[in-house]
């Protein structure tokens, strides 16, 4: 009997040790990105929330929100950049002209007994695989694990880029406090411009228009960028 | 070497049993340790190197408790006056080995003592107290009561736990499952029901509901972890580890929820529901286990608690435990006998059916042995106790059954070995699977925990541990109920593989009560001289043949000479010196060895042997004196039993020391082809060995055990037949309590069914585990399928135990082969209103004697017919019409038929040319009356078993026999087969052959033939097959003689060749106490109705059942007179209406009816008791006169009070 117990314990230890040394997401870069993101989320737990019906987590960024799903099979939105549509609407955006684009306009309404404003959403579907994540970290980890190329590291800016569709990114800093850009939303501007957006009228909304360019990260189309300083927003 | 049995507490599965066996076997001095998980007992063999206390300590160290089966008793102590007296009693009793506690209360004068009854007895304790100068009296508690109390307590405790754990687990389950299920189904639920709306609150509620369940079921954790740390994990360890993991993970999840990770899953409901389900399963298991041991409880319950003994001339009532050998016990009618003994005063009849299966009460006289727990029927007796306590037959049977239940069949050992390793392997699989999912597949801890719990729970081996012992318990218990005692599980397992059965002849196939049938002499000695010499030689013999000769000598009232020298030559005979002569008595081998010339007697001897008799030569001083033939009758059930064995694919052989011819004759009667004759006792074992073919064939030997011991031991299964008190119990593996050979196929059938049941149980037990573990590991999930929910796993695990137990309990439905399974047989209910008239049967012998008979209604044979709702066996492809017979009128045969019948000596039965269907009316005696569409009597069918019938014409003549029933009388007659009374008898029924006697003797009238009926009675026919009368057997070797008119004439002690002989030997029938039905309905009357001093009032509705002691012995008389008298009377009733009251007596018949006789013993009529307590009154010719509700003292009163309806 003792022999069997010894064998069992040895196998268990072996498994645990091997597990400890293995990657959580499948790449070091993604692991680091994950850790950095979780730290950001933990820095202000009040901004984190869970939407049970849609099975996704969300992190509030001013009037906007970054969402990630707990279960990729729950719906077609595995990542979502949820933005307040008001600045865009005020800048001349016609939501009706957003069809066939990477944007979804959600008009204001009442959800779970609470009023919701006009929203502009960029959804991203990773896959439809059944997941059984537990907790926000685990959910994010599983998503990163699905595709190790989802996240890239920008050495110069010391931040991580979550690459969603072309022109859409969510970025977060490597370490809180390094810069004022703790998190960044980058969205493609052309579909909005085509829908009537006048980028010159976005001043003061936080959204900055950036013309198409090429840099060490590659070609970039016309974009709108918004920087979130979490220290400032928590204050 | 000492063998001790200890009760073990704390076991929860067979892994525990294995653990205890391991621990105990390791001790120095212990040679063998076996634990029976089902009965919770450890049997350990050990020498002086180790003590019981050390064994108990070792077991306690392993985490269990081993307790001697101590008993606590309270005695009243007489003679104490002060504290020093009580001290003396305590000291005296504490010195006794086996006494654990002894305390005396001076104030109450009571001694409370706890002791091991296996080491010290009540008597020894009493003796110790007596020796100290005091007297101990009082009641005690039995081991069985204590055991029952413990079991009851365990059941109650588990029931409480099941209820309380369910009270908490159910709402927890609802809270966890219902909102989630509704939400995911899209159903709108109020906010307060949304667990995600209030995650913290719901988490706390679930935690609060889960904790009480853990507390209630804490035993699983305390025992489980203890065993785990001792490296002997058991079922509780699995449950403990699994639910602990779930609980602690859920606790961690609560913390996570509180810090914002609200989507963490909780498993509190899984923990609670698993524990509750397992507790419920355990409760049902204990209840079911109690049912499996019902047989033992029933046997134990047979023993009365009190006994009436006579001490110093005073009758005392004492507990049965205090009865001692030598005590004289008084038993009144209706009471149970407390212990075994020998009758010293009184006579009675005792019902021993629960032990021997003999349904007819056995008469007991002074010197007769009686068995404890049997029931005294009608007389009061005093008997001396010869065996008490554990020595009684019942105790031996109980022990035998308990041992059998406790013993392990080889298949059980296999299950034990597997379950012993199962638990650690399962833990290993669970751990490794969990780690693989967690670290290799990167699943969440919650997912991995689910895997972990599911594997542990579904893999519980409790069903595996129950599979075999429960089936064995029920199987052996069922066998015991039917008189089949299987001594071990190994015997049970081997019995089902039997391919050959070897039957001993004498006492097994035959009754074992041979009788002298023929004495052939040379001219040197007369028959009586030869018999006297032979009987004197055999006086001390225990051989059945010798005993038969001695009995013949005693019956002939011969005096026995003293034997000077006696030598038994096994397998040959005896050589005796007697009266200065050397006598040789034995078989042909003996004569040949001693070179005795057989003087031409060989042919005669062979002729006797060919009739199934055993010829024994007797030679005096070197010269043949003659031959004494002894015949033993074949048991009624032998043929059927052998046929049944053969139909089961089992070869049957007969082995005997008897000569080949006799053996072959008997073998032919019963259908055996393989005969091993003239086998010496020492060679029987060798013959059995030869049949075994070096172990390739499983052979059973059936014998009475006394001289068959080597053969029984050599056989793979030794089966002893006969009384359980005999020494047969020692040598055989299976003991058949009754002398019925049908119990042999029953035992084999029981074995087959039990083994099949065990295999089914093992399959189900394994199936759940084997199928469940991979699913629990997530194999299906990997392939896209579902995961196994831990709650479903718990449900499946509990269900597996229950299904195994339920399957084992199915064995309780087993019925022995000689009982009719009314549900299965294709039968049709014949719904017949009670009380209808028997169709009269024309009696030709009467007609032929007196041709001047009037052609009116003829004599009838009044066979009482109480027609109940009964069933008629029918072949599937034959349709026999039955009719609801509401009223039958006596048949008035047309004169032409009567004349035809009278004139023609060879009576041709009235053939119904018409092929219209016949109606078959079953009679109470098992025969069937055949009627045509107009209710005319066509004939009678007397079943012989196996759809064979003797066909009688309506005149009573035997027409032949039929192998089946037909649609019309014509068809039946067309298919008749003749009854041949020669060797090639076409009726494969040994009874017919055995009873026919063709020995002619000029002194006697022509011979009679006795045709056995299915109820055990005999129809007596003369040479021309005419009905003469009936013989009804009563208990031992007594036959009630019924005339053809149905009148009871008395009884005879044996069967005779001719009716005249029967008449000459008739004795009066003592009827007191023989017919309870009549006795119950009678009240005592004030006067003897045969005196005229007092007449009964008109309201008096009672009658005296007069003892028939003073009924005159019927003399031989010409029955013509009686017949004429009856026939001439227009009413066929004795004329009773002449102004005088005709006082009656009632003579009960064996079938529950009674004849009504007048003062001259003339038959007036018959009473047939009805279900509602009234009586049907039949006239002397069998016509229904109506019903009466009470009995009356005169025939007139009876006739006046008959009503049409009951």
């Amino acid at each position: 009997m003792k022999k069997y117990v010894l064998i069992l314990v040895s196998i268990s230890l072996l498994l645990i040790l091997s597990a400890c040394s293995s990657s959580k997401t499948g790449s070091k870069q993604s692991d680091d990105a994950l850790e950095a993101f979780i730290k950001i989320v933990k820095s202000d737990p009040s901004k984190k929330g869970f939407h049970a019906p849609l099975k996704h987590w969300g992190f509030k960024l001013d009037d906007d929100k970054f969402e990630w799903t707990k279960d990729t099979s729950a719906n077609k939105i595995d990542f979502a950049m949820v933005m307040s549509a008001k600045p865009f609407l005020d800048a001349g955006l016609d939501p009706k002209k957003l069809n066939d684009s990477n944007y979804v306009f959600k008009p204001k309404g009442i959800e779970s007994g609470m009023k919701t404003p006009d929203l502009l959403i960029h959804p991203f579907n990773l896959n439809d695989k059944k997941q059984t994540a537990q907790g926000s970290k685990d959910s994010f980890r599983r998503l990163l694990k699905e595709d190790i190329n989802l996240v890239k590291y920008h050495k110069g800016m010391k931040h991580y880029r979550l690459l969603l569709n072309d022109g859409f990114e969510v970025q977060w800093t490597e370490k809180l406090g390094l810069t004022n850009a703790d998190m960044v939303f980058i969205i493609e501007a052309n579909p909005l411009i085509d829908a009537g957006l006048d980028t010159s009228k976005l001043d003061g909304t936080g959204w900055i228009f950036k013309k198409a360019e090429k840099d060490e990260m590659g070609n970039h189309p016309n974009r709108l960028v918004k920087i979130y300083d979490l220290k400032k927003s928590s204050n | 070497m000492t063998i001790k049995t200890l009760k073990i507490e704390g076991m929860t599965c067979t892994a525990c049993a294995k653990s205890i066996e391991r621990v105990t076997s390791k001790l120095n001095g212990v040679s063998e340790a076996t634990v029976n998980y089902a009965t919770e007992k450890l049997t350990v063999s050990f020498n002086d190197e180790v003590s019981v206390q050390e064994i108990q300590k070792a077991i306690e160290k392993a985490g269990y408790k081993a307790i001697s089966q101590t008993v606590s008793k309270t005695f009243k102590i007489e003679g104490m006056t002060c504290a020093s007296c009580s001290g003396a009693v305590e000291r005296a009793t504490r010195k006794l080995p086996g006494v654990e506690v002894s305390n005396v209360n001076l104030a109450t004068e009571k001694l409370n003592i706890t002791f091991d009854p296996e080491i010290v007895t009540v008597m020894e304790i009493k003796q110790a107290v007596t020796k100290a100068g005091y007297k101990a009296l009082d009641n005690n508690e039995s081991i069985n009561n204590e055991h029952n109390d413990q079991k009851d307590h365990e059941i109650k405790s588990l029931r409480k736990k099941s209820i309380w754990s369910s009270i908490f687990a159910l709402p927890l389950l609802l809270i966890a499952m219902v909102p989630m299920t509704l939400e995911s189904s899209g159903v709108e639920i109020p906010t307060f029901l949304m667990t995600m709306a209030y995650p913290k609150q719901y988490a706390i509620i679930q935690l609060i509901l889960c904790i009480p369940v853990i507390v209630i079921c804490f035993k699983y954790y305390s025992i489980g972890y203890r065993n785990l740390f001792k490296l002997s994990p058991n079922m509780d360890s699995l449950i403990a580890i699994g639910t602990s993991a779930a609980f602690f993970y859920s606790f961690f999840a609560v913390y996570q929820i509180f810090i914002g990770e609200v989507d963490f899953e909780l498993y509190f409901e899984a923990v609670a529901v698993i524990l509750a389900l397992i507790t419920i399963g355990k409760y049902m298991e204990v209840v079911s286990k109690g049912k499996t041991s019902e047989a033992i409880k029933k046997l134990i319950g047979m023993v009365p608690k009190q006994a009436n003994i006579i001490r110093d001339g005073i009758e005392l009532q004492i507990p049965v435990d205090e009865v001692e050998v030598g005590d004289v016990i008084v038993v009144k009618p209706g009471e149970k006998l407390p212990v075994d003994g020998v009758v010293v005063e009184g006579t009675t009849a005792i019902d021993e059916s629960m032990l021997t299966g003999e349904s007819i009460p056995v008469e007991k006289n002074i010197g007769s042995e009686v068995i404890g727990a049997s029931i005294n029927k009608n007389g009061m007796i005093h008997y001396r106790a010869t065996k008490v306590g554990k020595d009684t037959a019942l105790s031996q049977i109980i022990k035998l059954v308990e041992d059998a239940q406790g013993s392990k069949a080889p298949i059980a050992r296999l299950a034990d070995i597997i379950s012993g390793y199962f638990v650690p392997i399962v833990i290993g699989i669970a751990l490794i699977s969990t780690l693989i999912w967690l670290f290799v597949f990167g699943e969440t801890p919650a997912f991995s925990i689910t895997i972990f719990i599911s594997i542990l729970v579904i893999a519980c081996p409790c069903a595996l541990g129950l599979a075999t012992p429960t089936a064995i318990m029920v199987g052996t218990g069922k066998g015991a109920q039917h008189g089949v005692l299987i001594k071990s599980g190994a015997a049970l397992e081997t019995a089902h593989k039997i391919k050959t059965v070897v039957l001993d002849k004498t006492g097994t196939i035959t009754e074992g009560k041979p009788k002298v049938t023929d004495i052939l002499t040379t001219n040197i000695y007369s028959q009586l001289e030869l018999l006297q010499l032979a009987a004197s030689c055999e006086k001390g013999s225990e051989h059945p043949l010798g005993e038969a000769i001695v009995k013949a000598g005693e019956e002939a009232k011969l005096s026995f000479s003293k034997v000077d020298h006696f030598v038994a030559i096994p397998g040959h005979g005896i050589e005796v010196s007697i009266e200065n002569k050397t006598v040789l008595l034995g078989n042909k081998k003996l004569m040949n060895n001693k070179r005795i010339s057989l003087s031409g007697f060989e042919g005669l001897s062979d002729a006797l042997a060919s009739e199934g008799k055993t010829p024994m030569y007797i030679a005096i001083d070197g010269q043949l004196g003659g031959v004494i033939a002894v015949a033993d009758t074949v048991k009624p059930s032998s043929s059927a039993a052998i046929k049944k064995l053969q139909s089961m694919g089992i070869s049957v052989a007969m082995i005997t020391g008897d000569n080949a011819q006799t053996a072959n004759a008997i073998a032919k009667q019963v259908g055996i082809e393989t005969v091993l004759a003239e086998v010496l006792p020492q060679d029987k074992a060798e013959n059995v060995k030869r049949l075994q073919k070096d172990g390739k064939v499983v052979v059973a030997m059936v014998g009475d055990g006394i001289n068959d011991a080597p053969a029984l031991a050599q056989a793979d299964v030794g089966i002893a037949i006969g009384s359980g008190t005999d020494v047969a119990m020692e040598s055989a593996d299976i003991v058949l309590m009754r002398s019925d050979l049908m119990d042999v196929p029953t035992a084999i059938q029981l074995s087959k069914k039990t083994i099949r049941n065990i295999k089914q149980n093992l399959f189900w037990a394994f199936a759940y585990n084997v199928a469940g573990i991979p699913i629990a590991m997530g194999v299906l999930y990997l392939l896209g399928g579902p995961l196994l929910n831990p709650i479903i796993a718990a449900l499946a695990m509990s269900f597996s135990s229950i299904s195994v137990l339920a399957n084992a309990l199915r064995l309780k439905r087993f019925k022995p082969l000689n009982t009719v399974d009314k549900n299965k047989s294709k039968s049709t209910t014949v719904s017949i209103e009670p009380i209808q008239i028997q169709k009269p049967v024309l009696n030709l012998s009467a007609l032929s004697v007196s041709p001047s008979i009037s052609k009116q209604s003829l004599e009838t044979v009044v066979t009482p017919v109480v027609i109940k709702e009964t069933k008629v066996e029918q072949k599937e492809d034959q349709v026999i019409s039955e009719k609801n017979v509401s009223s039958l009128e006596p048949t008035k045969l047309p004169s032409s038929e009567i004349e035809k019948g009278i004139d023609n000596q060879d009576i041709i039965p009235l053939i119904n040319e018409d092929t219209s269907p016949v109606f078959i009316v079953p009679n109470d005696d098992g025969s069937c009356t055949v009627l045509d569409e107009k209710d005319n009597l066509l004939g009678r069918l007397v079943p012989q078993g196996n759809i064979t019938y003797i066909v009688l014409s309506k005149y009573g003549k035997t027409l032949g026999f039929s192998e089946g029933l037909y649609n019309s009388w014509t068809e039946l007659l067309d298919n008749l087969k003749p009854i041949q009374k020669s060797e090639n008898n076409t009726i494969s029924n040994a009874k017919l052959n055995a009873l026919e006697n063709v020995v002619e003797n000029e002194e006697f009238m022509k011979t009679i033939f006795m045709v056995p009926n299915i109820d055990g009675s005999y129809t007596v026919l003369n040479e021309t097959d005419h009905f003469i009368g009936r013989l009804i057997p009563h208990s031992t070797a007594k036959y009630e003689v019924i005339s053809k008119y149905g009148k009871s004439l008395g009884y005879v002690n044996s069967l005779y060749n001719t009716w005249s002989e029967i008449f000459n030997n008739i004795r009066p029938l003592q009827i007191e106490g023989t017919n309870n039905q009549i006795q119950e309905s009678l009240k005592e009357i004030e006067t003897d109705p045969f005196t005229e001093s007092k007449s009964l009032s008109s309201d008096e509705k009672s009658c005296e059942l007069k003892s028939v002691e003073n009924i005159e012995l019927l003399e031989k008389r010409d029955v013509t007179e009686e017949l004429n008298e009856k026939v001439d009377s227009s009413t066929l009733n004795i004329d009773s209406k002449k102004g005088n009251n005709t006082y009656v007596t009632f003579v009960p018949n064996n079938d529950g009816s009674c004849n009504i006789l007048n003062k001259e013993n003339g038959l007036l009529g018959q009473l047939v008791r009805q279900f509602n307590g009234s009586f049907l009154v039949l006239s002397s010719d069998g016509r229904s006169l109506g019903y009466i509700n009470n009995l009356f003292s005169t025939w007139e009163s009876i006739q006046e009070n008959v009503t049409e309806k009951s």
Side-chain angles (χ1 to χ4, degrees), chain B residues 746-872:
Chain B
T746 296
I748 297 173
Q749 282 277 32
L750 179 63
S751 165
K752 284 183 194 286
K753 283 199 191 294
T754 305
I755 296 300
R756 196 183 313 149
N757 198 277
I758 290 173
K759 288 179 182 170
Q760 287 165 355
N761 288 347
L762 287 172
F763 169 76
W764 285 115
F766 261 121
Y768 278 104
N769 295 138
V770 167
I773 291 175
I775 299 172
M777 283 168 68
V779 168
L780 280 186
Y781 182 79
L782 270 177
L783 303 168
L787 259 186
L788 181 62
N789 188 310
I791 293 174
I792 304 296
L795 209 61
M797 196 273 297
S798 291
F799 189 69
S800 77
S801 299
I802 293 163
S803 61
V804 161
L805 282 165
N807 192 45
L809 287 171
R810 282 192 319 120
L811 270 174
K812 283 181 137 192
R813 286 194 261 156
F814 173 81
K815 278 189 172 63
L817 292 164
N818 46 8
T819 55
V820 174
D821 187 346
K822 287 179 183 172
N823 293 325
K824 281 193 176 170
S825 63
K826 287 232 178 219
S827 55
T828 310
T829 302
V830 177
S831 212
I832 300 176
E833 310 250 332
I835 325 173
Q836 297 301 339
I837 302 169
Q838 164 81 15
K839 277 291 188 188
V841 174
L842 178 61
N843 193 311
L844 285 181
S845 62
L847 290 174
S848 62
V849 168
S850 175
S852 62
I853 283 173
S854 104
K855 293 161 191 174
Q856 294 203 12
S857 298
L858 303 164
E859 275 304 327
T860 64
V861 174
V862 180
T863 305
V865 175
V866 176
I867 304 173
K868 304 168 204 172
E869 191 173 297
T870 181
K871 297 188 185 196
V872 174

Side-chain angles (χ1 to χ4, degrees), chain B residues 1135-1152:
Chain B
D1135 190 355
S1136 60
K1137 294 185 178 172
K1138 288 184 176 170
N1140 299 322
N1141 283 332
T1142 311
Y1143 287 99
V1144 298
T1145 51
F1146 299 97
V1147 179
N1149 299 316
N1150 199 45
D1151 57 8

Side-chain angles (χ1 to χ4, degrees), chain B residues 1004 1039 1041 1050-1056 1058-1068 1113-1114:
Chain B
F1004 299 106
Y1039 299 88
V1041 183
Y1051 78 93
V1052 288
N1053 279 328
S1054 63
L1055 301 174
Y1056 296 91
T1058 67
W1059 195 245
S1060 297
E1061 270 186 296
I1062 289 173
F1063 257 86
N1064 288 338
N1065 288 282
I1066 282 180
R1067 297 278 176 273
L1113 180 63
L1114 292 167

Side-chain angles (χ1 to χ4, degrees), chain A residues 164-180:
Chain A
L164 304 177
N165 289 318
D166 280 341
F168 293 88
E169 291 179 27
V170 177
Q171 296 180 359
W172 62 87
T173 182
E174 181 188 72
K175 190 177 170 183
L176 270 173
L178 268 180
T179 62
N180 63 341

Side-chain angles (χ1 to χ4, degrees), chain B residues 62-365:
Chain B
Y64 306 93
K65 211 174 171 188
I67 43 180
S68 292
Q69 289 191 287
T70 56
V71 166
S72 289
K73 274 190 178 208
T74 303
F75 293 93
K76 182 144 170 49
I77 306 295
E78 287 180 358
M80 291 192 300
T81 53
C82 64
S84 62
C85 301
S86 56
V89 171
E90 282 177 4
R91 274 194 304 277
T93 48
R94 278 177 195 164
K95 271 188 210 165
L96 295 170
V99 169
E100 289 187 358
V101 174
S102 173
N103 292 313
V104 174
N105 186 324
L106 183 61
T108 57
E109 293 181 298
K110 294 246 169 83
L111 162 67
N112 292 308
I113 185 165
T114 303
F115 63 99
D116 184 346
E118 286 187 17
I119 300 171
V120 65
T121 64
V122 166
M123 201 152 49
E124 285 168 14
I125 292 169
K126 281 183 179 171
Q127 278 171 358
V129 172
T130 307
K131 217 172 169 181
Y134 308 93
K135 198 172 180 185
L137 304 164
D138 225 336
N139 294 337
N140 51 20
E141 285 176 29
S142 70
I143 295 170
N144 294 321
N145 279 344
E146 208 170 277
H147 172 76
N148 286 340
D149 287 344
Q150 260 179 351
K151 275 290 162 202
D152 286 342
H153 176 75
E154 191 185 350
I155 291 173
K156 277 184 190 150
S157 168
L158 276 171
R159 184 166 56 221
K160 237 197 272 186
K161 284 184 183 175
S162 302
I163 293 169
W164 279 106
S165 59
S166 303
I167 285 171
F168 288 101
L170 192 57
L172 179 49
L173 181 67
L174 292 171
I175 288 168
M177 295 299 200
V178 170
M180 189 175 71
T181 312
L182 290 174
E183 273 181 301
S184 56
S185 314
V187 175
E188 282 271 346
I189 55 172
T191 315
F192 73 90
L193 279 178
M194 293 179 190
T195 50
M196 278 301 163
Y198 304 99
K200 294 174 190 171
Q201 290 84 338
Y202 271 100
I204 293 296
I205 289 169
Q206 288 186 48
L207 175 63
I208 289 169
L209 286 173
C210 182
I211 289 172
V213 180
I214 291 175
V215 169
I216 290 165
C217 303
F218 192 73
K219 197 178 161 199
Y220 297 120
Y221 298 96
S222 60
I223 295 171
Y225 278 116
R226 184 182 62 205
N227 287 329
L228 186 66
F229 294 141
K230 287 180 196 302
L231 301 181
S232 300
N234 63 352
M235 185 207 98
D236 289 343
S237 307
L238 296 179
I239 303 301
I241 298 168
T243 52
S244 300
F247 180 79
F248 288 118
Y249 178 80
S250 302
F251 204 78
F252 170 73
V254 171
Y255 162 72
Q256 290 290 329
I257 288 168
F258 270 80
I259 62 166
E261 301 287 5
V262 297
D263 70 334
F264 264 75
E265 281 180 23
L266 301 172
Y267 286 94
F268 291 121
E269 86 282 0
V271 172
V273 170
I274 286 169
L275 290 172
L277 280 176
I278 286 164
T279 307
I280 292 168
K282 279 277 161 209
Y283 167 65
M284 292 174 81
E285 190 183 305
V286 165
V287 169
S288 299
K289 267 160 79 171
K291 283 192 180 141
T292 60
S293 64
E294 249 174 28
I296 286 281
K297 286 183 197 158
K298 269 187 188 161
L299 286 172
I300 290 168
M302 282 178 183
V303 181
K305 302 262 185 300
Q306 300 286 326
N308 296 316
I309 66 166
I310 295 177
R311 263 187 202 159
D312 302 327
I314 304 167
E315 191 173 316
L316 301 167
Q317 193 176 69
I318 60 169
V320 72
D321 291 348
E322 289 184 15
V323 174
E324 291 164 19
V325 173
D327 279 343
V328 174
I329 300 159
V330 181
V331 186
K332 299 185 180 88
E335 287 181 357
K336 272 189 193 170
L337 276 68
V339 296
D340 297 355
V342 174
V343 178
V344 295
E345 190 182 319
T347 57
T348 187
I350 288 185
D351 179 2
E352 296 179 338
S353 56
M354 87 303 170
L355 272 179
T356 64
E358 182 58 57
S359 55
I360 298 172
V362 181
E363 291 202 6
K364 301 286 181 184
N365 305 303

